[in-house]
Amino acid sequence: TPKEKKPTQSKARLKNVDRSSATYHSVTVNDMTVVITEFKPKVKKEKKEKKE
Amino acid sequence: NDSGPGSSATQELEIVFKLHPKMLENKEVIEAIKESSTRYIKTTSKALVEHLCKYLAMRISLDFSPVKKETHTTPSSSSGGVGTNSTGMTSSVKDLTIFISPSPGQMVELTPNMSLKGVNEKYWMVNKPMEMLYAFHRH
């Protein structure tokens, strides 16, 4: 029997971010505090330049 | 599993913040925040637009400060962080406004007391991270 494909989790997930280096900040407005997680973009691997 | 479709439970939303096009004319701003002008954040759908305004104002003001302080908190020190600084809004950034673009060419200014859940349901019907724009003035 064909395997059912699992639906992609969290459809609205950011791509190309480094989740391992997330920073967390709490912000309070009118006695309501929320935590905001900030991600850095993934660093693109630089291609090695040929030395002449 | 309580996070199925239609669940009214609090969910987390991921958002990309980009600099408003009108800010691109301000070279001083571009110079100061060029590398961090696009920000990627995640927070609860219960958060208000005002939470985001306050957070962005604080983070951006750090970019403008003469001595850049690395205030990043590690996941292990999640309590606290710059957000707990109640003087955050007295930074060099003022009148930070957030916009959303529900469709190409359309830009809507978000009111501070609106929740992200409300924003998501009203303006962002697609299954991808919300994209918002921000603009501000400096003291």
Side-chain angles (χ1 to χ4, degrees):
Chain A
T1 55
K3 285 184 181 178
E4 267 189 39
K5 276 190 179 178
K6 284 186 178 179
T8 315
Q9 268 194 333
S10 191
K11 60 247 163 146
R13 231 166 118 86
L14 289 164
K15 291 173 185 171
N16 300 319
V17 295
D18 181 5
R19 291 177 186 271
S20 64
S21 62
T23 56
Y24 301 80
H25 312 271
S26 50
V27 180
T28 304
V29 172
N30 298 334
D31 292 334
M32 180 186 168
T33 301
V34 301
V35 174
I36 293 181
T37 307
E38 179 158 1
F39 304 109
K40 294 259 182 252
K42 269 185 188 166
V43 181
K44 287 178 185 173
K45 285 180 184 175
E46 287 184 20
K47 287 181 183 176
K48 284 184 183 176
E49 287 183 22
K50 283 184 182 177
K51 286 184 180 177
E52 287 182 17
Chain B
N1 186 8
D2 61 354
S3 59
S7 168
S8 61
T10 302
Q11 60 175 135
E12 295 208 306
L13 295 172
E14 303 198 351
I15 308 166
V16 183
F17 280 103
K18 294 178 179 174
L19 204 55
H20 192 288
K22 76 178 181 187
M23 298 294 292
L24 299 176
E25 297 162 9
N26 190 330
K27 286 182 182 175
E28 188 193 9
V29 169
I30 300 300
E31 190 62 31
I33 65 170
K34 53 188 172 186
E35 286 171 8
S36 52
S37 63
T38 302
R39 293 182 176 272
Y40 305 87
I41 71 149
K42 176 177 81 172
T43 191
T44 168
S45 59
K46 285 194 298 186
L48 305 176
V49 171
E50 195 172 352
H51 283 104
L52 300 179
C53 290
K54 188 173 178 178
Y55 175 73
L56 285 176
M58 281 190 292
R59 300 296 293 165
I60 294 165
S61 65
L62 288 174
D63 288 334
F64 282 115
S65 66
V67 180
K68 282 193 181 182
K69 291 177 186 173
E70 273 300 320
T71 57
H72 293 181
T73 53
T74 60
S76 59
S77 60
S78 59
S79 60
V82 295
T84 54
N85 180 0
S86 60
T87 61
M89 288 303 276
T90 60
S91 63
S92 62
V93 174
K94 66 170 186 174
D95 300 335
L96 192 141
T97 315
I98 294 176
F99 302 84
I100 194 165
S101 184
S103 59
Q106 189 187 6
M107 211 172 296
V108 180
E109 183 178 334
L110 298 176
T111 52
N113 61 352
M114 197 168 189
S115 73
L116 295 189
K117 187 182 177 189
V119 173
N120 195 31
E121 289 171 352
K122 189 171 181 183
Y123 299 113
W124 202 253
M125 308 303 286
V126 292
N127 281 345
K128 61 178 189 175
M130 280 202 280
E131 290 176 23
M132 295 184 181
L133 301 161
Y134 63 93
F136 57 89
H137 294 106
R138 293 196 64 207
H139 285 296

